[in-house]
Amino acid sequence: MMKRYIGIAILSIGFIPAVAQQFKAEATLPLTDADGFYRVLITPEVAAYPNQTFSNVRLYDAQQKEVPYILEQEQPVYQKEQFREYTIVEKKQEPGCCTMLILENPEKAAINNINLLIRNAEVIKEATLSGSDDQKSWFVIKEKFTLQSIDNPNEAAAMKTVNFPLSNYTYYQLRINDSTQAPLNIIKAGYYNALTSIGAYTEVSPRSIATADSIKQKKTYIHVFFDTLRLLDKVELSLTGTPYFMRQVDVYERQARNTKKGVKDYYEFVTSFGISSAGAAIVHLPMVKSRELMLVVDNQDNPSLTVSSLKVHQLNRYLVAWLKKGEKYTLRFGNEQLAEPSYDLAFFKDSLSYQSTVLKVQNVRAIQEAGKKEESPTFFTDKRVIWVAIILVIGILGFMSVRLIRETNTQKKV
């Protein structure tokens, strides 16, 4: 008998809907002209919804099937090496003497290394490097150094680097002593140039900027307000005032925490940077997500400065996925219960070939707000029905408790 009551209670509870919105927002992708891997740009409008790791983002096709993707982001600042090959002006071998190689540096670039691609040879050679601007007068740069153990186990040639003091001659002459051995086979020569590149950013427009000076604290407070949560990765600040200045700036982000008295806002320190009259300062933020930034300029005993320019940027991040021509796709984000997805695509990240087109999301909308406006109450979402179900469950549980007590007392009397 008791099992029957419990079953009725469970069924009654089952009628109470667990109304919880899984995703906070969604957006659509533009139709593509061809099948292939595309990079979908996460715009500032979209970045307000995902978490810090972007694990609560999902991509769905027209049949509402999940589409695998990988997350890719620009590097704020990165270096890459570029091999620049020299023109071999002259290459000759003098029997019983040496091999002479003359390389041209037409741009007179300042260099401190020459890389030689040489066919494998187990030898030790003595060499001298000289420089000239007219191929007539030669000046020693590095003398009596050795080239040895030219052995690449994977290829038939090996790259050998000759380091030397920084110079900018138009021509370089390499003389290799071959008086007692056969000459080396030098295929090409050049140098590695380290290039510094800056990742792509998208500007995030503030809703407003307010400044205030505190004479007592000797500080200037700059508040940067946004219309909603924004993902912030870089700030560019330019100040004007006195002809020469050098100040320290602290950056804070506005956050909220739950307390016994309710939600309380506070400012959390992010980073510090210096700014001077020499020009604008650029500071990289550690992926801050906030509605407000506060920059505090320490004036010490100096007069306050004026903000002449302030820009905030979000580092470009992309979802890389295989999209079919003309098919509709939907991005949904903000489901805090989702764990990071596990897709096979992650194992082939370095092998992907992208379409040149970068897609921007369209029609970003908050799902919860749209539901409030468009959806009408149904039988199981009507608040009156929900309250009736709750009262029914309470009544059943109360009846069960009284019945259980009576049965227990009866058993004790027996």
Side-chain angles (χ1 to χ4, degrees), residues 107-126:
E107 299 176 359
K108 300 193 69 172
I111 61 172
N112 60 4
N113 69 83
I114 293 177
N115 286 267
L116 304 172
L117 185 62
I118 308 173
R119 288 283 178 87
N120 290 339
E122 187 60 41
V123 293
I124 298 176
K125 298 280 187 178
E126 187 178 272

Side-chain angles (χ1 to χ4, degrees), residues 133-145:
D133 288 322
D134 56 9
Q135 295 193 68
K136 295 180 180 178
S137 300
W138 293 94
F139 304 93
V140 173
I141 299 175
K142 185 175 184 176
E143 64 177 355
K144 294 184 179 180
F145 61 93

Side-chain angles (χ1 to χ4, degrees), residues 277-318:
S277 51
I282 298 177
V283 57
H284 296 278
L285 306 178
M287 198 176 177
V288 168
K289 194 171 186 179
S290 179
R291 293 175 181 268
E292 178 190 345
L293 289 179
M294 181 174 69
L295 282 67
V296 182
V297 183
D298 187 2
N299 297 318
Q300 297 185 352
D301 296 323
N302 303 291
S304 60
L305 302 171
T306 303
V307 178
S308 61
S309 175
L310 194 156
K311 295 181 179 180
V312 187
H313 297 83
Q314 173 189 305
L315 186 66
N316 281 0
R317 296 173 177 85
Y318 312 90

Side-chain angles (χ1 to χ4, degrees), residues 239-247 276-279 302-305:
L239 301 176
T240 57
T242 58
Y244 298 99
F245 63 84
M246 182 176 292
R247 308 286 169 89
S276 71
S277 51
N302 303 291
S304 60
L305 302 171

